C-alpha cells in the first residue's frame, strides 16, 4: 500500500469516532446514536445496524469504526540504512539438548545453574542458538554478574545482535578506539568498558574516569569508583583521597570503602593513629599464673570532621551504642597485623584476650571485618582455629574467603572428621559451605553429603529451615564427578516423611538436571 492510497483511511473516522464517544458519555437515553456516513466498504456493516436498539448500535458501530481506524494507521518510516550483515560464525552451536537446558534455565527453572551452563559451554567451545540470544542478552542487562560469562558464548551473531540494541551495549568491545567507545557509550556500556580496562589497564581506566569526572552525575561517579575494586592499588590512592571531598555522600562513601582496603593509604594511616587511643593491651598477674594480658577499651567521646570525611558513620548502629559504633568503624579499618606489631604478641594471644574482654563483641566483630578486608591469612587462620566464636552480629565463616580455595576445603574436611555429627555440634555450618568455591572437589562433596545425611537423620522431624535451604544448594555445589552417586548418598536413609522431603526431591531433580546439562554440552554435535 502506498502512502497516497492509505491517506483517506488515516483521516476518515476521527470526527465520527468522537461523536460516538460523546454519545457514550451522555448515554443513549439522552442522545441518539448517529451512524457515520456510508463510505465505501465501511458502509455495509454500518447500514446493517440501522434496525438494532441504541445500546447495541453504539457498541457495534464503535467496534467497526475502531477496527477501521486501526487498520488505516500508517506504519512508521525508518530511513536509516540497514546494518551490515553478520559475519559467518566459526564457533559451532551447542546441541539441541543443551539449548533446551539453557531455555529451561532462562525461563526461570534452575536459574541458579546459568553460570555453570555458560562456563561449561565456553569450555566446550560452543555458542548459544540464535533463538535464545535475545533473552540471554536481556538477562545480562539485568544481572551484571553474568556478563563476563555471557560474552564468550554469544558468537558473532550475538555480538552483532547486541550492537542493534542500545540496552545491550555492555557486550560491545571498545576495540582500538577506546575514546570513541567511552564518549558514545551509555552508562552500562561505559561501566562494562571500565570493568574490562581495570582488569587489563587500570591506569587508562582511571584516566578516562578523571577526564570527565566533574561533568558526571553523582550516581555515575559512585558507580565508576566501584569499578576500581578490580586491580585496586596505591596508584589509585591520590584520586580516591581527593574523592573524599566530593559533594556527594554516595561518592565519598565509595571512595572511603576503597581506601580502607589499601593498607598503605593515608586513610588507613589516620585510622591506625586514631585506634591507638582507644585500645591498649596491658599485662596483668594472676594467682598461679605468671602473667596474662588484658585488653582495655576506651570509647571515642566525639567525631571530628576528619573522621567523618574518612567514612566513620555518625548514625547509631542497630543494637549498639553510638560510641561503640564509632569504635567498630575505626577498628574495622585497621590492618590486624598492626596490633601484633604494636604489642609484640601473636594473633592467637590477642584474639584470646579479646574473647575474655567485656568488649568482645565489638572487638571480634571489628577484627573479623578487618581480617577479611585486608585479607590477612595469618589472622584468619588464628580465628578459625578457635572453632565457632559465639559473638553477635557476625559469622566467623566469612574468614574462609581470606584463605586460598584449597585451604578452605581442608578446613571443611577437617570439620567433617572432627567429631560425630559435625553439623549438630556447629563444627560444620551451612554458611561455611556457602563460602567454598564451587563446584567442590569430589572429596569435599562426598564428606559433606555424608555429614548432611547424618544430620538430616537426626533432625528429620524437628526441622531446620537453614539446612533445608542448604540441601537444595548442595545440588548446585557438589562436584560433577559425584553427580551419579549424589542422590544415593544423600537419600541413603528413609526420608520420605521427613521435614526435608520436599528439599530432597528438589535436590534429586537438580542433580539430574545438572548431570543431563553437562552431558549435553560435551557430547559431540551431530
Amino acid at each position: 500500500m502506498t502512502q497516497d492510497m492509505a491517506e483517506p483511511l488515516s483521516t476518515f473516522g476521527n470526527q465520527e469516532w468522537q461523536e460516538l464517544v460523546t454519545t457514550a458519555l451522555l448515554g443513549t437515553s439522552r442522545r441518539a446514536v448517529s451512524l457515520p456516513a456510508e463510505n465505501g466498504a465501511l458502509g455495509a456493516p454500518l447500514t446493517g445496524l440501522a434496525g438494532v436498539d441504541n445500546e447495541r448500535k453504539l457498541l457495534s458501530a464503535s467496534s467497526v469504526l475502531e477496527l477501521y481506524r486501526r487498520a488505516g494507521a500508517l506504519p512508521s518510516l525508518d530511513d536509516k540504512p540497514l546494518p551490515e550483515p553478520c559475519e559467518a560464525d566459526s564457533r559451532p552451536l551447542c546441541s539441541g539438548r543443551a539449548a533446551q537446558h539453557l531455555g529451561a534455565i532462562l525461563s526461570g527453572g534452575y536459574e541458579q545453574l546459568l553460570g555453570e551452563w555458560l562456563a561449561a559451554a565456553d569450555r566446550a567451545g560452543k555458542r548459544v542458538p540464535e533463538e535464545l540470544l535475545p533473552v540471554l542478552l536481556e538477562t545480562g542487562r539485568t544481572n551484571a554478574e553474568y556478563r563476563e560469562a555471557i560474552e564468550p558464548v554469544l558468537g558473532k551473531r550475538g555480538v552483532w545482535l547486541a550492537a542493534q540494541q542500545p540496552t545491550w551495549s555492555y557486550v560491545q568491545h571498545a576495540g582500538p578506539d577506546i575514546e570513541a567507545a567511552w564518549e558514545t557509550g551509555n552508562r552500562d556500556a561505559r561501566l562494562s568498558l571500565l570493568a574490562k580496562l581495570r582488569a587489563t589497564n587500570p591506569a587508562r581506566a582511571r584516566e578516562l574516569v578523571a577526564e570527565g569526572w566533574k561533568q558526571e552525575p553523582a550516581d555515575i561517579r559512585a558507580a565508576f569508583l566501584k569499578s576500581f575494586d578490580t586491580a585496586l592499588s596505591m596508584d589509585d590512592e591520590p584520586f580516591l583521597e581527593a574523592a573524599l571531598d566530593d559533594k556527594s555522600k554516595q561518592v565519598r562513601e565509595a571512595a572511603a570503602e576503597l581506601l580502607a582496603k589499601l593498607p598503605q593509604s593515608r586513610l588507613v594511616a589516620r585510622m591506625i593513629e586514631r585506634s591507638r587511643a582507644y585500645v591498649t593491651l596491658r599485662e596483668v598477674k594472676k594467682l598461679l599464673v605468671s602473667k596474662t594480658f588484658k585488653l582495655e577499651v576506651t570509647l571515642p567521646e566525639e567525631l571530628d570532621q576528619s573522621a567523618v570525611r574518612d567514612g566513620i558513620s555518625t548514625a547509631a548502629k542497630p543494637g549498639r551504642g553510638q560510641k561503640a559504633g564509632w569504635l567498630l568503624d575505626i577498628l574495622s579499618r585497621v590492618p590486624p597485623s598492626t596490633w601484633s606489631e604494636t604489642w609484640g604478641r601473636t594473633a592467637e594471644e590477642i584474639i584470646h584476650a579479646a574473647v575474655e574482654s567485656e568488649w568482645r563483641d565489638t572487638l571480634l566483630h571489628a577484627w573479623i571485618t578487618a581480617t577479611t578486608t585486608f585479607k590477612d591469612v595469618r589472622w584468619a587462620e588464628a580465628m578459625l582455629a578457635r572453632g565457632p566464636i559465639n559473638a553477635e552480629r557476625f559469622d566467623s565463616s566469612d574468614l574462609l574467603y581470606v584463605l586460598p580455595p584449597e585451604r578452605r576445603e581442608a578446613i571443611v574436611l577437617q570439620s567433617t572428621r572432627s567429631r560425630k555429627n559435625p553439623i549438630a555440634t556447629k563444627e560444620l555450618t551451612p554458611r561455611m559451605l556457602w563460602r567454598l568455591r564451587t563446584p567442590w572437589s569430589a572429596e569435599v562433596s562426598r564428606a559433606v553429603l555424608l555429614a548432611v545425611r547424618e544430620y538430616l537423620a537426626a533432625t528429620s522431624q524437628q526441622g531446620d529451615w537453614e539446612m533445608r535451604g542448604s540441601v537444595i544448594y548442595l545440588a548446585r555445589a557438589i562436584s560433577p564427578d559425584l553427580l551419579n552417586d549424589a542422590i544415593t548418598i544423600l537419600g541413603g536413609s528413609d526420608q520420605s516423611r521427613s521435614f526435608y522431603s520436599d528439599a530432597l526431591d528438589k535436590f534429586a531433580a537438580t542433580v539430574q538436571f545438572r548431570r543431563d546439562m553437562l552431558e549435553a554440552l560435551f557430547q559431540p554435535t551431530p
Side-chain angles (χ1 to χ4, degrees), residues 24-41:
L25 292 173
L26 293 175
T28 55
S29 62
R30 300 177 59 188
R31 176 171 174 165
V33 178
S34 177
L35 293 176
E38 296 183 10
N39 186 284

Side-chain angles (χ1 to χ4, degrees), residues 21-86:
V21 170
T22 301
T23 301
L25 292 173
L26 293 175
T28 55
S29 62
R30 300 177 59 188
R31 176 171 174 165
V33 178
S34 177
L35 293 176
E38 296 183 10
N39 186 284
L42 186 61
L46 292 177
T47 302
L49 298 175
V52 302
D53 59 73
N54 280 336
E55 288 80 4
R56 290 180 58 193
K57 185 186 299 183
L58 175 64
L59 293 174
S60 300
S62 299
S63 300
V64 171
L65 191 56
E66 175 62 8
L67 181 61
Y68 180 82
R69 293 170 73 241
R70 289 191 179 190
L74 291 175
S76 59
L77 300 178
D78 188 351
D79 56 359
K80 294 179 182 178
L82 293 175
E84 291 294 324
C86 177

Side-chain angles (χ1 to χ4, degrees), residues 15-315:
Q15 182 177 351
E16 290 81 359
W17 173 257
Q18 289 302 322
E19 288 290 330
L20 290 176
V21 170
T22 301
T23 301
L25 292 173
L26 293 175
T28 55
S29 62
R30 300 177 59 188
R31 176 171 174 165
V33 178
S34 177
L35 293 176
E38 296 183 10
N39 186 284
L42 186 61
L46 292 177
T47 302
L49 298 175
V52 302
D53 59 73
N54 280 336
E55 288 80 4
R56 290 180 58 193
K57 185 186 299 183
L58 175 64
L59 293 174
S60 300
S62 299
S63 300
V64 171
L65 191 56
E66 175 62 8
L67 181 61
Y68 180 82
R69 293 170 73 241
R70 289 191 179 190
L74 291 175
S76 59
L77 300 178
D78 188 351
D79 56 359
K80 294 179 182 178
L82 293 175
E84 291 294 324
C86 177
E87 299 178 24
D89 214 318
S90 58
R91 190 168 199 171
L93 281 170
C94 66
S95 67
R97 280 181 62 209
Q100 288 177 350
H101 289 118
L102 178 59
I105 292 171
L106 292 174
S107 64
Y110 307 102
E111 61 270 17
Q112 298 300 324
L113 297 180
L114 178 58
E116 185 175 18
W117 192 99
L118 295 170
D122 188 29
R123 292 197 308 273
K126 303 296 176 61
R127 62 183 170 92
V128 175
E130 287 78 3
E131 63 270 17
L132 293 178
L133 287 173
V135 65
L136 181 60
L137 287 166
E138 186 63 14
T139 298
R141 183 188 69 81
T142 56
N143 299 275
E145 68 270 24
Y146 293 124
R147 291 178 185 175
E148 186 176 349
I150 284 174
E151 291 194 29
V153 299
L154 289 175
K156 292 183 178 179
R157 182 158 304 184
V159 174
W160 177 90
L161 182 62
Q164 318 308 315
Q165 172 56 265
T167 59
W168 297 336
S169 59
Y170 66 87
V171 171
Q172 303 308 303
H173 298 275
D177 194 352
I178 294 175
E179 284 72 15
W182 179 257
E183 290 296 329
T184 60
N186 62 16
R187 181 181 186 274
D188 285 346
R190 296 167 84 191
L191 286 174
S192 180
L193 174 59
L194 272 185
K196 293 168 186 172
L197 273 180
R198 284 296 303 184
T200 58
N201 190 349
R204 185 67 188 112
R206 186 175 60 251
E207 290 169 1
L208 286 176
V209 171
E211 286 169 4
W213 179 254
K214 294 182 179 180
Q215 288 73 45
E216 299 291 351
D219 62 325
I220 299 295
R221 297 200 304 275
F224 286 170
L225 281 190
K226 290 179 181 179
S227 72
F228 282 41
D229 204 23
T230 300
L232 180 67
S233 74
M234 281 299 291
D235 291 337
D236 301 310
E237 198 265 357
F239 184 83
L240 295 173
E241 177 73 22
L244 290 177
D245 296 315
D246 196 274
K247 294 180 180 180
S248 167
K249 180 182 178 182
Q250 187 180 7
V251 174
R252 295 195 303 270
E253 289 177 345
E257 183 179 345
L258 290 165
L259 287 167
K261 297 179 180 181
L262 293 171
Q264 304 303 318
S265 70
R266 283 170 280 178
L267 181 144
V268 169
R270 293 190 291 269
M271 293 297 180
I272 292 174
E273 187 59 32
R274 292 184 184 104
S275 69
R276 298 187 194 281
Y278 305 130
V279 183
T280 56
L281 187 71
R282 181 170 62 88
E283 290 187 4
V284 296
K285 293 184 178 180
K286 290 186 177 180
L287 188 64
L288 303 179
V289 179
S290 58
K291 66 177 61 175
T292 186
F293 311 95
K294 181 179 180 180
L295 286 170
E296 294 185 342
V297 174
T298 303
L299 294 179
E301 287 299 323
E302 60 182 1
L303 287 184
D304 56 25
Q305 282 305 114
S306 173
V308 175
R309 177 180 182 269
D310 285 343
I312 305 302
S313 174
T314 58

Side-chain angles (χ1 to χ4, degrees), residues 28 32 120 131 148 162 177 213 231 234-235 248 290 340 367 383 389 400-401 436 449 466 507 516:
T28 55
E131 63 270 17
E148 186 176 349
D177 194 352
W213 179 254
M234 281 299 291
D235 291 337
S248 167
S290 58
S340 300
W367 284 342
M383 285 191 170
I389 301 175
L400 287 175
Y401 278 135
L436 295 180
L449 286 173
E466 187 176 40
F507 171 85
D516 294 345

